Amino acid sequence: MTGDVTADDDTGDDADYGLTGRAAGVLRRFAPHVMAVVGASSVALVASLGFYAFLGPVVGAFAGSILALALGRVEFDVPTRPLDWRIPVVVTSLYVVVVLALYRNGLYTRPIGHYLVLGGVAAFVAYQIWVGQPKRHVLPQILVVAFLTYWSTQFVYPAGVVTPDGGFVITAGEIARTGFVPNDVLYRRTPGHMIYVAEGMLTTGLSQRLAYQLLSVLALLVSVAMIAVLDRVVPAVDRRMALFGALVFALMGFTLRRGMFPFKTNFFRPFLLFVVIVFFHFVYRSDQYLRYVVPVGVCMLALLTGHMYSAGAALILLAPLWVYEQATRLFRYLDYPEPPTRSTTTSVVAVVVVGLVAFSLFADLSFLSRATNLVASLTDTLLPGGGGAGGGGGSSGTSGGRYSSLSLSVLLFSTAGQAILFTLGVAGIGLGIRRREWSLDVIVAWIGGGLLLIALSVFVNANDIPPQRIYLLLGFFGLNLLATIGLFTLADRFPAGYRGAVVGSVVFVFVVFALASPVGSVALSPVGDEVPDKWRYYTGHDSAQQSWADDHAGEALIETRRAKTTLPLERTSNNEATIVLSNLSADARYEIPRQARTDGVRYGPRGSRLGSNTYLFLRLPDGIERESKIYTNGPDTVYLHENRTRSGR
């Protein structure tokens, strides 16, 4: 039994609508052409400016627009031939057993077999989605596969992950012991994630480090599960789109990074999606809005007291959705055959805005500060005489920094998964916009707003709009859903017997590249040694060096750890710095780890905002061969600086 999904862009009569409806019809017809022009211009701009770190996704977007032109119409047969439920159970169980066996002897490296088995099981899950496997069979598989993949770094690095939230984890332990948030802790006004970890410690009895990592991963899995139920509130999103969107988000590179290298934003992602779900609920069930105003307020309170950026992300998500909803109402709902008739979404946006402004005024000014900086930098760029991206004034865009200086082969390998997602997602936009479904177009509006924010980040202000976080939001809600339309329409152009294989094959390639990419995990990527990054995992070498330092050097050792150093540095180029040996005191002991030379160290004072730190590769200084080596374990070397004047050299 099959269902037929077709576009109705050519079946509707634009004359039945007003002038705005007819204009919308023209835009739908030529949307892929416009996207192709914009995509080609973006590729040319990025290449001419040397912003090669962004080349992969931009090329993917251009390829997606061409694919939309080639496919033409959203028309595909949707088979309903679910497999016996025992087959997915057996396959998922085999995946768990095989992965545990692969990592039994794996230390500091990812077994090659994991790429193949993860790609294979993801392709199998995608095939099940294509043939109409029930959600109760598919979703548990996605969650099990995602959890084991995220947790695989714990097998590779049994000593643990060097989390950027290490100080917060320690504070969580103190909260669990005392019941109070210390006065001197950073983010004292937004201690939500630390309180969650403390509650987890008290509930489970786990250590503070393990509780932080486990709860962070579980919160990420809750987000995946919530994406899988979007078909219950968004009419244009059917069961297959919701499940495929959950699969794509769970295994895309940036999500793998958040799972393998847990971060505090994981705790707040479910709140963000809940706010979006309530938005759509208000659009289509406006008579029940009062019962959801209080839950939205509670979500905002959790976001505001837990992580200020996540609270701002709620507004970033809602603003394009609300603006499009108001614009379509103003223009009499354009050419939609079944538009939403009454909406109360303004109350959702009002709760978010009032919460943000009130909290900013009375507790934490960071949101208002970032908003002011963004307006100032945008004004500086647009007004005559402004500095432009990378110029003077308030503008502080980004070219991709040291990543854009990597070889093109490494960059394309690293961003291949992103390129595939953008190809399918943009193709889905070009095809889906012809379906004339309001709930689908409003998602497209959010994607357009998100891409505009990324452009502002790259060319205007990367400090206050981190591009990687906006990209993660697009993969979280938007591109992951529209990619279903692009992939399923592409598969339908093949003979019936090969369509499931096409879906599985594309997902296999996407997942393998996502897992292999340094975006997911630099330390475990095949090209990780060529990509600069921060120190992220504890190894035996680290423990041995630290033990030696504690036993022999004490406080006299000048350490370089986690990209931080107190060595006297001199900048020698845009991307490099060296040690000024003459500025060291006599008999100083100093450490030069390989990590500092391959991944870089922070140069200059610590920045107060995201993206405001400068990292440079540490190069060995002239004369290092005359220094005395007093300890080495391979990656780490400790030198003794001798007073050459005193020794006569």
Side-chain angles (χ1 to χ4, degrees), residues 282-299:
F282 280 19
V283 170
Y284 292 100
R285 297 175 179 85
S286 57
D287 57 320
Q288 304 177 22
Y289 78 96
L290 287 177
R291 71 174 65 179
Y292 290 97
V293 171
V294 173
V296 169
V298 172
C299 278

Side-chain angles (χ1 to χ4, degrees), residues 298-577:
V298 172
C299 278
M300 279 307 298
L301 183 62
L303 290 170
L304 290 167
T305 59
H307 190 226
M308 198 61 189
Y309 166 78
S310 296
L315 183 59
I316 290 175
L317 269 168
L318 281 180
L321 301 177
W322 180 78
V323 168
Y324 188 80
E325 190 269 333
Q326 296 299 312
T328 52
R329 179 189 297 183
L330 178 65
F331 293 111
R332 301 182 182 276
Y333 291 105
L334 303 176
D335 58 345
Y336 295 112
E338 297 180 1
T341 56
R342 180 173 177 268
S343 173
T344 53
T345 56
T346 302
S347 56
V348 187
V349 179
V351 170
V352 173
V353 172
V354 170
L356 273 170
V357 174
F359 192 81
S360 297
L361 290 175
F362 296 104
D364 188 338
L365 292 173
S366 60
F367 171 75
L368 292 180
S369 174
R370 288 194 175 193
T372 303
N373 290 336
L374 176 59
V375 172
S377 57
L378 185 60
T379 303
D380 179 73
T381 302
L382 296 178
L383 290 180
S395 185
S396 53
T398 176
S399 65
R402 52 187 173 165
Y403 298 105
S404 286
S405 64
L406 298 174
S407 68
L408 197 57
S409 59
V410 170
L411 284 173
L412 293 179
F413 179 88
S414 302
T415 58
Q418 300 173 46
I420 293 173
L421 178 57
F422 267 89
T423 299
L424 298 177
V426 171
I429 292 172
L431 296 168
I433 200 172
R434 298 182 175 184
R435 288 169 53 170
R436 296 197 299 183
E437 295 185 58
W438 187 90
S439 58
L440 189 64
D441 286 355
V442 75
I443 298 176
V444 173
W446 145 240
I447 294 175
L451 293 176
L452 178 61
L453 278 176
I454 291 179
L456 289 175
S457 173
V458 172
F459 296 106
V460 178
N461 189 333
N463 293 339
D464 300 299
I465 316 176
Q468 69 277 13
R469 290 187 175 179
I470 304 300
Y471 173 78
L472 185 56
L473 283 178
L474 289 172
F476 172 57
F477 176 74
L479 287 175
N480 56 332
L481 300 172
L482 272 297
T484 313
I485 297 176
L487 178 57
F488 284 13
T489 306
L490 173 65
D492 188 74
R493 300 304 188 263
F494 288 80
Y498 295 93
R499 292 169 185 170
V502 170
V503 171
S505 299
V506 173
V507 171
F508 177 89
V509 175
F510 167 74
V511 170
V512 168
F513 273 116
L515 184 63
S517 170
V519 173
S521 176
V522 172
L524 298 177
S525 171
V527 297
D529 290 341
E530 301 180 58
V531 178
D533 195 59
K534 298 177 182 177
W535 183 55
R536 296 192 180 274
Y537 302 100
Y538 292 106
T539 65
H541 295 104
D542 303 321
S543 300
Q545 192 279 335
Q546 191 61 52
S547 177
W548 180 90
D550 294 340
D551 293 340
H552 300 284
E555 297 180 358
L557 177 65
I558 303 176
E559 292 188 280
T560 301
R561 311 298 290 169
R562 305 187 194 182
K564 295 183 291 187
T565 184
T566 55
L567 285 167
L569 300 180
E570 179 183 18
R571 189 168 188 165
T572 57
S573 69
N574 288 336
N575 298 315
E576 296 182 348

